[in-house]
């Protein structure tokens, strides 16, 4: 008796042809990213800004990415780095705040508690060799005190009256040190907006991954406010004096 041959469509993969994908793999580099966040203390609270660009490599692909997040009633969080890891952190914080609400014990998480929680999450992921590829700026008014802190993908933390991430660490931080540090209790809201806009304008001129569409947030004793996206007035006439411009 001749053996029976079963023919299967060419689109069906035979079991012996399956491949072994190896061990579980982790993200080694960010894919869609957001650039600088700039924040500082002023007379009434904390001011923070970030642009709305999500860069796919060097492509300015997503132009409405909101990288400022309100957490609870008195905390503002800004993010630099991978957008998908930011979405994971956002969902994690939402779950934590929901659990706190469900406890219904009259207690809530303040800014410092949220900051410590985020630092532990980042450090825990770093210890698993699967870090969240982000840098966060956490601002708030906690117990009447203004708070501004930094946490990165390694779980490194520090507090400062002025903080900038990404390219802003090189371009915006010198402006903040000159115009803000030592004057935190004197700067009005109008002056704070002007300083922040100047920082974001310089970053738009100098950072190839920035975009002239940004959002600004502030946190005061009255709560958190985040603006709708807006653009800054720019002037590129200075570029004509740069050697090689337009060549």
């Amino acid at each position: 008796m001749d053996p029976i041959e079963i023919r299967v469509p060419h689109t069906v993969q035979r079991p012996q042809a399956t491949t072994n994908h190896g061990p579980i793999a982790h993200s080694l580099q960010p894919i869609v990213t957001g650039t600088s966040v700039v924040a500082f203390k002023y007379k009434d609270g904390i001011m923070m800004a970030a642009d709305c660009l999500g860069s796919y490599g060097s492509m300015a692909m997503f132009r409405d990415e909101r990288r400022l997040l309100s957490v609870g009633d008195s905390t503002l969080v800004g993010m630099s780095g991978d957008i998908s890891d930011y979405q994971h952190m956002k969902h994690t914080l939402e779950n934590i705040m929901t659990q706190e609400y469900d406890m219904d014990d009259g207690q809530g998480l303040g800014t410092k508690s949220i900051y410590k929680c985020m630092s532990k999450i980042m450090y825990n992921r770093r210890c698993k060799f699967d870090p969240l590829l982000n840098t966060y700026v956490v601002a708030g008014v906690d117990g009447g005190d203004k708070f501004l802190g930094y946490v990165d993908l390694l779980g490194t933390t520090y507090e400062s009256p002025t903080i900038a991430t990404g390219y802003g660490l090189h371009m915006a931080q010198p402006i903040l040190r000159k115009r803000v540090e030592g004057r935190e209790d004197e700067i009005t809201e109008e002056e704070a907006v002007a300083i922040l806009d100047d920082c974001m304008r310089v970053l738009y001129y100098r950072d190839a991954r920035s975009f002239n569409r940004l959002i600004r947030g502030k946190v005061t004793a009255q709560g958190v406010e985040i603006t709708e996206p807006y653009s800054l007035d720019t002037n590129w006439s200075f570029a004509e004096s740069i050697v090689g411009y337009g060549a």
Side-chain angles (χ1 to χ4, degrees):
M1 182 177 178
D2 295 333
I4 299 175
E5 182 179 358
I6 301 177
R7 297 180 179 275
V8 297
H10 71 280
T11 55
V12 178
Q13 191 176 39
R14 295 178 181 275
Q16 64 269 23
T18 58
T19 59
N20 181 12
H21 294 288
I24 297 174
H26 299 315
S27 298
L28 300 179
Q29 63 182 12
I31 305 300
V32 178
T33 60
T35 184
S36 308
V37 174
V38 178
F40 59 89
K41 296 179 181 179
Y42 71 104
K43 183 178 179 181
D44 298 324
I46 314 288
M47 192 80 71
M48 185 184 302
D51 65 33
C52 298
L53 181 64
S55 298
Y56 180 68
S58 60
M59 180 185 296
M61 176 168 272
F62 305 104
R63 305 189 179 194
D64 194 27
E65 292 294 335
R66 312 295 177 92
R67 296 188 290 115
L68 300 187
L69 172 67
S70 174
V71 182
D73 297 327
S74 60
T75 303
L76 179 63
V77 175
M79 184 282 303
S80 290
D82 189 75
I83 299 293
S84 60
D85 284 349
Y86 166 61
Q87 291 171 339
H88 171 78
M89 176 64 81
K90 180 179 178 180
H91 295 323
T92 300
L93 291 175
E94 288 174 349
N95 290 337
I96 291 173
M97 298 306 292
T98 299
Q99 292 175 7
E100 286 296 315
Y101 178 81
D102 290 342
M103 291 291 290
D104 196 22
D105 57 0
Q107 302 294 321
L109 289 181
T111 302
K112 293 180 180 179
S113 297
I114 294 171
Y115 177 65
K116 290 180 181 178
C117 180
M118 292 178 66
S119 68
K120 300 304 181 185
I121 292 172
M122 300 296 282
Y123 184 73
N124 177 263
R125 289 292 296 264
R126 169 261 181 112
C127 291
K128 292 180 178 179
F129 294 91
D130 185 21
L132 298 174
L133 303 176
N134 299 122
T135 300
Y136 290 98
V137 180
V138 183
V141 177
D142 199 347
D145 297 327
K146 292 177 287 188
F147 177 88
L148 182 60
Y150 167 102
V151 57
D152 66 11
L153 76 168
L154 300 179
T156 304
T157 61
Y158 67 85
E159 300 173 27
S160 176
T162 63
I163 291 179
T165 67
Y167 208 66
L169 185 62
H170 309 283
M171 289 294 167
Q173 191 66 59
I175 299 174
L176 298 179
R177 286 174 179 158
K178 181 178 180 180
R179 299 177 62 179
V180 175
E181 291 188 2
R183 301 182 56 242
E184 298 89 355
D185 296 329
E186 304 172 5
I187 299 174
T188 63
E189 182 174 333
E190 292 75 15
E191 185 180 0
V193 171
I195 293 172
L196 203 56
D197 285 349
D198 286 344
C199 290
M200 300 305 294
R201 186 178 291 108
V202 169
L203 288 172
Y204 177 54
Y205 288 150
R206 303 302 299 272
D207 185 358
R209 300 293 171 265
S210 66
F211 190 59
N212 191 19
R213 176 179 165 84
L214 55 108
I215 55 175
R216 184 180 66 244
K218 69 174 183 179
V219 53
T220 63
Q222 286 70 44
V224 179
E225 294 182 21
I226 301 176
T227 68
E228 288 299 312
Y230 68 97
S231 298
L232 299 172
D233 294 330
T234 57
N235 183 356
W236 291 91
S237 60
F238 71 90
E240 297 178 359
S241 62
I242 299 175
V243 176
Y245 175 78

